[in-house]
Amino acid sequence: MADTERYDIVIAGAGLTGAAFALAAAQAQLKVVMVDPQPFSDQLAPTFDGRSTAVAFSTFRMLDALGLGETLRPHACRMDHILVTDGRRPGAASRSASPAFLRFDADEIGGRTGGEPLGYMVENRRIRAALAEAVTRAGIAVRAPETVASVATDAGKATVTLADGSTLIAPLVVGAEGRGSTVRRAAGIETVGWGYGQSGVVATVRLGRDHGNVAHEYFLPSGPFAILPLTDQRASLVWTETTRRGEALRDASNAAFHAHLMRRFGEFLDGATVEGPRFVYPLSLSLAEKLVAPRIALIGDAAHGVHPVAGQGLNMGLKDAAALAEVLAEAARLGEDIGSETVLERYARWRRFDTAALAAGFDAFVRLFSNDIAPVRLARDLGMAAVNRIGPLRRAFMQEAGGATGDLPRLLRGEAVV
């Protein structure tokens, strides 16, 4: 007979958002288990998917509060300046034909943020390894490699059946396993969304000279081209192209890819040498119609997959994790059923508007900038110039990008869940 184990929360997915939520829930003395199809030792692999993340300064406070700050700080590159330029030509790093630009400087809001940068660029593999080490230290149960076969709920509990036939019983199941979420499908929650016909080409490059902690984002007709500072005089490139061109770049020889890159990069920062493999990711929007269902809650990409134009996907997911953990901690303290509709609706109310507003905003941003229609170009150039000249508006943008606005969960203020 298959074994049955009981927990407070079953978390489907042990990636960045799932692991961060597990740590936050464990901080609240909740007994959790993570289920993931990848061997957990893979989380500690030195290379994983080539991606880097712009971690908002409020999100870094959360990682600090979860005990990861000391491990991550040597690998986190400050972003003290962000330059946004509207460009026309393939040579994004060459002098643009358009005078429109935005400049954000951390010093402008330093008084409100205690000298924090606008954000930190951290390689995903570093965050993943730090989370995995913290999960192991905390003694959190992990079932991996293992997959969720089915989820059944009734008035008092959720029953998760795994592929090996064993069952996990808990008052709550959290779907944190990405856009193809099994838990979301089991809950009957539909998604709305669409593809952009674009792919993100991701590569890490070594620069000829120091980047000065400046992030550059060029908006070109084919999509954004970002040069994002990493530690050790390196940068992460996120190069948005049509899906056809993106696939051609993925399949090109190293020499051909480097030639294309240098045409795009120009002589910027004395050139660039590609380090490690390159990756191509199709870009799309996917938004769950609901964040909760009976005994089920969704966080991260299972709830919302957005265009990476503003680098906010992981920040949104970790904000979900922080908000849900805080709601559940408070409910447990009061003796409530943590999987009840009343409790879960508090989480949904907290995150619903923020999630939908950001997803809609990023979508509009992509459509506004990924074209070369003259009247649209004129309107956006005027808008960028206006924002750049109006100090309070510019500072508000920086505060928003740093995730320090609105009703922040305790973790994003740098405080423990409880």
Side-chain angles (χ1 to χ4, degrees):
M1 184 175 170
D3 62 319
T4 299
E5 298 172 19
R6 293 182 179 272
Y7 295 90
D8 294 320
I9 308 168
V10 176
I11 304 165
L16 303 182
T17 304
F21 172 71
L23 286 169
Q27 200 177 78
Q29 307 303 313
L30 293 166
K31 185 184 177 188
V32 301
V33 59
M34 289 193 292
V35 181
D36 196 273
Q38 299 294 327
F40 196 63
S41 57
D42 282 3
Q43 309 283 16
L44 298 165
T47 56
F48 203 70
D49 66 2
R51 287 181 287 191
S52 299
T53 292
V55 178
F57 63 78
S58 60
T59 308
F60 204 88
R61 287 180 198 158
M62 172 178 174
L63 297 174
D64 246 335
L66 292 176
L68 276 62
E70 194 176 328
T71 305
L72 286 178
R73 211 160 255 110
H75 307 294
C77 183
R78 290 174 63 101
M79 283 192 294
D80 290 314
H81 314 280
I82 299 176
L83 292 176
V84 181
T85 310
D86 192 10
R88 267 197 187 90
R89 302 180 304 200
S94 62
R95 188 172 296 281
S96 171
S98 168
F101 70 93
L102 275 169
R103 182 182 176 97
F104 298 120
D105 293 300
D107 289 347
E108 274 202 75
I109 56 170
R112 300 186 213 174
T113 64
E116 294 272 18
L118 297 170
Y120 297 87
M121 279 302 300
V122 191
E123 291 165 276
N124 283 20
R125 64 191 175 115
R126 301 295 188 185
I127 305 173
R128 189 174 275 110
L131 283 166
E133 287 165 7
V135 162
T136 303
R137 279 197 308 271
I140 292 169
V142 181
R143 298 287 292 266
E146 188 55 87
T147 55
V148 173
S150 66
V151 181
T153 61
D154 59 35
K157 66 182 185 307
T159 303
V160 176
T161 303
L162 304 181
D164 69 357
S166 61
T167 55
L168 307 173
I169 293 174
L172 176 64
V173 178
V174 172
E177 72 275 58
R179 295 187 185 215
S181 172
T182 302
V183 170
R184 187 185 64 230
R185 285 199 300 272
I189 298 174
E190 299 290 332
T191 61
V192 294
W194 43 82
Y196 289 104
Q198 295 176 325
S199 290
V201 182
V202 178
T204 300
V205 296
R206 182 165 296 282
L207 304 171
R209 61 183 166 86
D210 188 63
H211 47 57
N213 297 350
V214 181
H216 296 260
E217 183 134 24
Y218 296 89
F219 285 100
L220 302 171
S222 61
F225 177 68
I227 305 166
L228 306 167
L230 293 173
T231 54
D232 196 24
Q233 205 168 301
R234 295 171 306 141
S236 174
L237 302 187
V238 184
W239 180 350
T240 310
E241 284 287 4
T242 61
T243 297
R244 182 175 59 81
R245 284 182 185 166
E247 289 171 352
L249 285 167
R250 178 191 61 205
D251 299 336
S253 68
N254 288 341
F257 180 79
H258 191 262
H260 279 292
L261 173 64
M262 292 315 295
R263 196 171 75 235
R264 173 61 58 89
F265 217 81
E267 291 308 306
F268 184 75
L269 296 182
D270 295 341
T273 308
V274 179
E275 290 202 341
R278 55 188 182 260
F279 303 83
V280 177
Y281 298 95
L283 305 180
S284 63
L285 174 76
S286 171
L287 207 55
E289 292 185 342
K290 296 189 295 182
L291 294 179
V292 298
R295 306 220 160 267
I296 285 172
L298 303 178
I299 62 174
D301 281 2
H304 42 71
V306 299
H307 194 289
V309 63
Q312 291 295 318
L314 179 62
N315 293 301
M316 289 171 69
L318 293 183
K319 203 169 186 179
D320 294 340
L324 181 58
E326 190 169 322
V327 165
L328 299 179
E330 180 67 9
R333 191 178 65 78
L334 296 173
E336 294 178 281
D337 174 357
I338 62 170
S340 69
E341 188 178 338
T342 311
V343 171
L344 296 182
E345 186 53 34
R346 287 178 208 147
Y347 160 67
R349 270 201 312 271
W350 196 348
R351 294 296 297 136
R352 191 181 290 130
F353 176 78
D354 188 42
T355 295
L358 284 173
F362 299 151
D363 183 65
F365 211 62
V366 170
R367 294 176 192 281
L368 177 65
F369 279 93
S370 292
N371 67 72
D372 203 26
I373 302 166
V376 176
R377 174 177 285 280
L378 177 62
R380 72 190 183 217
D381 285 3
L382 289 170
M384 287 173 73
V387 171
N388 203 52
R389 288 183 179 181
I390 300 169
L393 189 55
R394 196 173 57 247
R395 288 188 285 276
F397 268 88
M398 287 189 274
Q399 285 282 108
E400 183 65 45
T405 58
D407 185 10
L408 286 184
R410 291 171 61 91
L411 280 171
L412 272 80
R413 297 198 299 264
E415 302 167 12
V417 179
V418 288

